[in-house]
Amino acid sequence: MNLRRFLVVFALLLTMGLVLGACGTSDEENNGAANEGNNTTDNTGNENEGTNEGGDTATDFTVGMVTDVGGVDDKSFNQSAWEGLQEFGAEHGLEQGPNGFDYVQSGGDEDYAPNLNQLARQDFDLIYGIGYLLTAAVDEIALQFPDTNFAIVDSVVEQPNTTSILFKEHQGSFLVGVAAAMKTESNKVGFVGGVEGDLIKKFESGFRAGVKSVNPDIDIQVQYAESFNDSAKGKLIAADMYNGGIDVIYHASGGTGAGVFAEAKDRKKSNPDQNIWVIGVDRDQHEEGQIDDDNVTLTSMVKRVDVAVKDIAERALNGDFPGGEIVEYGLEGNGVSVAQTNTEAMTQEIIDAVNDWQQKIIDGEVEVPSTREDADAFIEGL
């Protein structure tokens, strides 16, 4: 009898344990479902938003970029693109890494395709190729990963899953040409390009047109370093130009421009009374020209790669990715602009002139040339 009672009691206890265990599992599942409810589904049917501990919007959307040889800290458009991704990540509660936003740095041309392939295999939703040097690589990898969205900066890739981001650099270059023409005391200015090609010739053409619009008699010297990452070559070219009497140099040469700034600063240190200037590019390069209490950066032609990168990422996140389209950013909408950080160098007279020309361009009264041929014709017609 005692054994039979023991078995009955044991069976009852076992049954109660199973019931309680089932109740516990149900509660956990309900809690999990409640937690998953923090995520929302957008109108594309993709579950992509929730909240992080800080209260910012969180998303499972991932975005990455591949730099060109200039690197992510080139003080130019690679860095500007990365700043745009960082801002996008911060606004959407993303962390740097494979589950949020990230970059891969390229040491040479041979790295472009493998780096893009790496991000695609990590299932990034949107992948940027920063710079026209990545054109062929983006075209190749976008074809291999048709379900991944790609974007190329400063070039056109004709793939249905790729957005081509362009800028009206010639417009901004025209305006810094106006500033250079009004600032020069020698009536000699220079342009230093990186690799000679259609893109950098847009900078050159706009700059020449802007200078000549103010004073057709100003002499303009143009030289290319054939590299976007050779500061020593940039310094050498700048030295030759300054030795020849040029007092304002506009560079569109990526990391090579560091050498232009270095040469200008060295000369300013040795002779503080010498008025020589550098016009920066892509980002506001005011800091690059700082020497103690002085600064050799006259202004910069700011190309808002950060704005464009963030804009396309937002559109992709919202299910409105402009695949197969060319999206262009210009003076209208602040896609390009002229920095006014150096308030001592950029006098009110220069600022007023720049603003007047800017409005003429926006209103269509002035069509800024984007090729050498058009620039030559524009200048001849002045």
Side-chain angles (χ1 to χ4, degrees):
M1 287 293 289
N2 290 336
L3 177 60
R4 180 178 297 176
R5 287 178 181 175
F6 173 79
L7 291 175
V8 171
V9 172
F10 178 79
L12 288 172
L13 290 173
L14 181 60
T15 301
M16 291 176 64
L18 291 173
V19 171
L20 289 172
C23 292
T25 302
S26 178
D27 289 341
E28 290 170 3
E29 290 175 350
N30 288 336
N31 287 337
N35 289 335
E36 289 177 0
N38 287 335
N39 293 328
T40 60
T41 302
D42 63 16
N43 56 13
T44 65
N46 295 322
E47 181 180 277
N48 61 18
E49 291 191 346
T51 56
N52 62 12
E53 292 180 358
D56 296 328
T57 302
T59 173
D60 61 5
F61 182 84
T62 55
V63 55
M65 59 172 261
V66 174
T67 76
D68 73 1
V69 294
V72 76
D73 57 352
D74 64 352
K75 311 297 184 185
S76 190
F77 70 101
N78 282 292
Q79 183 169 333
S80 181
W82 178 234
E83 289 170 351
L85 278 196
Q86 288 176 306
E87 186 174 345
F88 173 81
E91 289 185 5
H92 293 283
L94 299 178
E95 294 184 357
Q96 184 177 345
N99 296 318
F101 64 97
D102 211 349
Y103 73 90
V104 181
Q105 190 153 295
S106 303
D109 294 356
E110 68 280 1
D111 294 334
Y112 298 151
N115 287 345
L116 289 164
N117 185 72
Q118 173 188 327
L119 293 180
R121 290 188 178 279
Q122 289 178 328
D123 292 326
F124 276 83
D125 296 304
L126 172 60
I127 301 169
Y128 289 91
I130 308 302
Y132 76 91
L133 295 176
L134 281 82
T135 303
V138 170
D139 191 31
E140 173 190 344
I141 304 303
L143 188 62
Q144 295 176 12
F145 293 87
D147 295 329
T148 300
N149 289 329
F150 291 84
I152 178 78
V153 175
D154 285 344
S155 187
V156 175
V157 170
E158 296 180 351
Q159 296 287 354
N161 59 334
T162 303
T163 296
S164 301
I165 299 172
L166 300 180
F167 295 85
K168 297 180 181 179
E169 297 95 346
H170 51 302
Q171 292 183 342
S173 297
F174 182 100
L175 297 181
V176 297
V178 169
M182 297 185 68
K183 196 66 178 179
T184 180
E185 297 174 357
S186 64
N187 278 348
K188 294 181 179 181
V189 301
F191 174 84
V192 177
V195 177
E196 187 170 357
D198 290 343
L199 173 63
I200 305 304
K201 284 189 281 190
K202 286 174 67 178
F203 291 83
E204 174 199 325
S205 300
F207 179 69
R208 290 173 54 216
V211 170
K212 294 291 188 176
S213 291
V214 174
N215 183 354
D217 295 328
I218 292 178
D219 180 55
I220 306 171
Q221 183 178 335
V222 175
Q223 191 166 344
Y224 283 80
E226 292 306 325
S227 173
F228 289 111
N229 197 32
D230 190 344
S231 60
K233 186 69 175 291
K235 195 173 192 303
L236 181 62
I237 292 174
D240 288 341
M241 286 187 173
Y242 288 134
N243 286 337
I246 286 172
D247 55 359
V248 182
I249 297 176
Y250 174 37
H251 93 90
S253 58
T256 299
V260 177
F261 278 103
E263 180 63 25
K265 290 194 289 187
D266 286 348
R267 288 172 179 259
K268 192 68 175 178
K269 288 177 185 176
S270 62
N271 183 7
D273 294 328
Q274 184 180 10
N275 289 323
I276 55 173
W277 305 99
V278 181
I279 296 176
V281 75
D282 294 335
R283 298 175 71 251
D284 183 353
Q285 295 191 307
H286 182 76
E287 291 183 0
E288 301 306 302
Q290 194 67 47
I291 315 168
D292 299 325
D293 295 329
D294 209 342
N295 198 300
V296 297
T297 304
L298 172 61
T299 182
S300 300
M301 199 290 285
V302 182
K303 186 166 75 170
R304 297 303 303 271
V305 182
D306 57 335
V307 170
V309 163
K310 183 183 174 187
D311 177 44
I312 298 300
E314 293 281 0
R315 293 170 69 174
L317 174 63
N318 294 327
D320 188 31
F321 179 71
E325 298 181 20
I326 296 174
V327 182
E328 193 168 30
Y329 299 83
L331 284 177
E332 204 166 7
N334 202 35
V336 296
S337 62
V338 176
Q340 300 180 8
T341 312
N342 193 340
T343 54
E344 292 185 8
M346 287 286 283
T347 63
Q348 192 60 50
E349 181 184 9
I350 295 176
I351 291 172
D352 289 343
V354 167
N355 290 340
D356 287 344
W357 282 103
Q358 175 172 309
Q359 195 58 51
K360 290 178 182 178
I361 295 170
I362 292 175
D363 291 342
E365 296 179 28
V366 175
E367 185 175 348
V368 180
S370 60
T371 67
R372 284 178 178 167
E373 294 74 20
D374 288 346
D376 290 341
F378 180 95
I379 293 169
E380 287 178 7
L382 292 174

